[in-house]
Structures are given as structure tokens and as C-alpha cells.
Amino acid sequence: MIETTANEELLTYAPPPEGYVSHSRLERVLRSGRFAVTAELNPPDSADAADVYQAARPLGEVADAINATDASGANCHMSSIGICALLTRAGYSPVYQISCRDRNRIAIQGDVLGAAALGVSNVLCLTGDGVGVGDQPGAKAVFDFDSLSLLRTIRTMRDEGVFLSGRKITRPPHLFLGAAENPCIQPYEWRPDRLIKKIDAGAEFIQTNYIYDIPLFEAFMARVRDAGGDKRAFIIAGVGPLASAKAARWMRNNVPGIHIPDQIIDRMEAADNPSETGKQICIELIQQLREIKGVAGVHIMAYRREQLVSSIVMDSGVLTGRRKGKARP
């Protein structure tokens, strides 16, 4: 048993630097004006911590933060908070994803405090997929919150130091708050408005779903800029390597909001090495996204292919000579 003195405890709970809401590396990178990289760790169907660390290693080489998904697709895996605990223990910076599907407000507020005590500095607030799409459709959904009310709640805990009940929190959590957005789902003209509502609720960074259609995303970002969203939150665009033309078609036909243009599928179809071509397409997308005004970083989702992430980022050149840019409020 490790004994902790009162002084050591106070040092552990040091407030964030002036101008920051957390101790997050991701927040520091974004506010300094540098192009950020985040990546998604797909949780194992395992109780072995080694499986988490094996997946985290190639992500940690290049990512400013690693997302721990929370039963995405309503499928059961190792818990997000458990993965975050393992990642912080190993020195990684995790993004704690919270889905509103499975827990009520009492459990969620308690988990937020527990995650912060473990050293988690980033939270991504999600409404969550319905249980009917997962592998246990008989599960009882909760949805006590949606992403907007979850953002407001955690912001209240952090900034006002109280639970929703009004009861005081003796030491509030220092958290950098995020939300997700899907720019490629119709009606397209509504998506920027939805993003602004999330920013109003407390989101300080936004991670998007997969972007394969650059012109469609450029139109989305133009509307976001017109609404001033890029000045109020950091937009991190989602990308991922395609494994095959068959996988690309399946995603386009079965995953809402993922639009993969015909030319990308045709290119995958004609490829001698589809996996390598999918990786190259991902690199090209990152390079194009970096040039879009208002894009502050990329979020890489390589399902069960985390080993590709380090080389994708390095080959894209987005980290080459990365220096501090103009600071953001």
C-alpha cells in the first residue's frame, strides 16, 4: 500500500495554469495553435491490460490524446473509464468518452469525478447509439441525458463546483470538454446549427465522424465559420484508413452519415494492394483537411488497425517541424 501525505494530495490536485480549464496536453496543443492529432483506441473484449497497451503504443507515438470508446455501436467491450485508468497509469493522455445510453445522471456525475481523480483531463460527451443496433438489443436503454445536457452538467460541475442537485463539490474536476459531430448526414444545412448548440452547451473541442468527401466537408466548415464556431471551439476532423472496396461500400450503405465518393471506392476496387491504398487515401485526406480554414486537427479512427496510425501520421507530414502557432482563446 502506498501512503500519501496531505501535501502530496494537494500537489496532485493543483489547479490548471491560468487561461486553461485542465491539465490536458490536447488543450495545450490546441490553444497554442498547433495542429493536433487524436486517435481512437478500440477497446478489447478482454480483461487483460496488456491488450490495451498493445493497441495504445502505436497511437501514443503520434497522438496528443487517445480516445477510449464507450460501448460504441451499443456493443459491450472493456469500459471507457477502465481503459482511461490504464492509459493514465502508463503516461498516456486519454479522452474519456461518455455515452448517455447506459447510465443515469447519478452514475455519470460520480464517474466524472472518479475519472478526474484518476488523472483524466479530456471528456467527449455523446448521446450514444440505440441498443437496437448492438449485439444485446434486449438491454434497457437509459438516456437520462443527451449530449447537450451532459455537456451542461459537466460544465456546471467544473465551473460552478456543484452537482445538479446544487450540492457543493469540494474539489471540482478540471476537464477539457468535447463533443462529436457528423457533418455528412442530411439535412446538411442543419449540422452547423447542431454544432453551435453543442458549443453553447460547453463543448471546447469537436471531433467529427469520418470525412471522405472533402467538398461536402468544406461546405460544412464554411457554414461553421460564418456562425463563428471555429473561433469558439477547436474542430478536429475524423479520418480513417479503408481496408477494402467491400468495406467502403458497407460503410457507405450501413453507417449513417458516412459518405464515401464513388471515385474513392473505384480507386480501392482497382488497387493491387487495397490496404496500402486505403492508407494512402487516408494520408491524402489528412493533408487536404489541414488546409481547410478552421480545422484544428485530425482524429484518426483505425478500427482494429491501430498499428497503422503512427505511419499514417508521420507520412502525412502534419507533425513535421510542428511549432507553436498563434494562440487561441
Side-chain angles (χ1 to χ4, degrees), residues 26 30 95 123-124 176-179 203-207 233-234 236:
L26 177 61
L30 288 168
V95 176
V123 174
L124 189 75
F176 190 42
L177 301 183
E204 292 148 328
F205 70 94
I206 303 290
Q207 292 176 325
F234 301 98
I236 301 174

Side-chain angles (χ1 to χ4, degrees), residues 273-292:
N273 186 338
S275 179
E276 186 61 31
T277 298
K279 176 182 171 182
Q280 183 58 39
I281 290 171
C282 187
I283 291 169
E284 294 167 9
L285 289 169
I286 291 173
Q287 293 168 337
Q288 293 173 68
L289 289 165
R290 188 186 188 187
E291 300 305 313
I292 298 175

Side-chain angles (χ1 to χ4, degrees), residues 7-248:
N7 286 338
E8 289 171 338
E9 186 181 6
L10 288 171
L11 287 172
T12 300
Y13 190 77
E18 185 176 354
Y20 293 81
V21 297
S22 74
H23 297 282
S24 163
R25 169 183 169 83
L26 177 61
E27 182 184 6
R28 293 198 307 272
V29 168
L30 288 168
R31 292 199 191 281
S32 73
R34 288 172 286 178
F35 194 78
V37 175
T38 60
E40 193 161 283
L41 187 152
N42 297 286
D45 297 332
S46 164
D48 190 345
D51 293 335
V52 173
Y53 294 135
Q54 182 178 357
R57 285 188 192 100
L59 308 181
E61 292 173 358
V62 292
D64 298 303
I66 299 174
N67 283 49
T69 61
D70 186 16
S72 60
N75 296 307
C76 187
H77 307 287
M78 185 186 289
S79 71
S80 177
I81 197 167
I83 291 172
C84 287
L86 293 171
L87 293 178
T88 55
R89 181 189 300 174
Y92 297 110
S93 177
V95 176
Y96 173 35
Q97 294 192 186
I98 302 177
S99 167
C100 298
R101 177 190 55 244
D102 304 317
R103 296 182 293 285
N104 68 14
R105 66 190 65 193
I106 297 171
I108 287 175
Q109 289 174 89
D111 284 348
V112 166
L113 291 186
L118 289 168
V120 173
S121 297
N122 311 291
V123 174
L124 189 75
C125 299
L126 306 168
T127 298
D129 302 307
V131 296
V133 303
D135 58 0
Q136 299 181 60
K140 185 175 181 179
V142 179
F143 290 116
D144 192 18
F145 284 152
D146 61 11
S147 60
L148 295 175
S149 53
L150 177 57
L151 282 163
R152 294 187 195 104
T153 297
I154 302 177
R155 183 178 63 180
T156 297
M157 294 172 67
R158 182 191 71 191
D159 296 349
E160 299 178 25
V162 295
F163 294 109
L164 281 184
S165 65
R167 186 158 49 87
K168 181 177 175 58
I169 299 171
T170 56
R171 295 187 180 185
H174 303 309
L175 296 169
F176 190 42
L177 301 183
E181 188 50 73
N182 195 335
C184 301
I185 192 169
Q186 296 193 38
Y188 301 133
E189 62 273 15
W190 289 7
R191 307 318 299 179
D193 294 337
R194 179 69 174 171
L195 182 145
I196 296 300
K197 288 180 180 179
K198 292 179 179 181
I199 295 173
D200 289 341
E204 292 148 328
F205 70 94
I206 303 290
Q207 292 176 325
T208 80
N209 206 341
Y210 292 102
I211 304 298
Y212 292 103
D213 190 324
I214 295 294
L216 184 59
F217 183 67
E218 286 179 323
F220 167 81
M221 285 302 302
R223 292 192 289 269
V224 169
R225 292 193 300 270
D226 288 343
D230 63 316
K231 303 299 183 184
R232 298 177 56 206
F234 301 98
I235 314 299
I236 301 174
V239 294
L242 295 166
S244 65
K246 180 180 178 180

Side-chain angles (χ1 to χ4, degrees), residues 233-270:
F234 301 98
I235 314 299
I236 301 174
V239 294
L242 295 166
S244 65
K246 180 180 178 180
R249 288 195 191 91
W250 187 91
M251 289 173 65
R252 185 168 70 175
N253 295 333
N254 294 281
V255 183
I258 295 184
H259 183 261
I260 304 177
D262 289 338
Q263 60 265 32
I264 287 183
I265 294 180
D266 292 343
R267 184 174 167 187
M268 292 292 296
E269 191 80 69

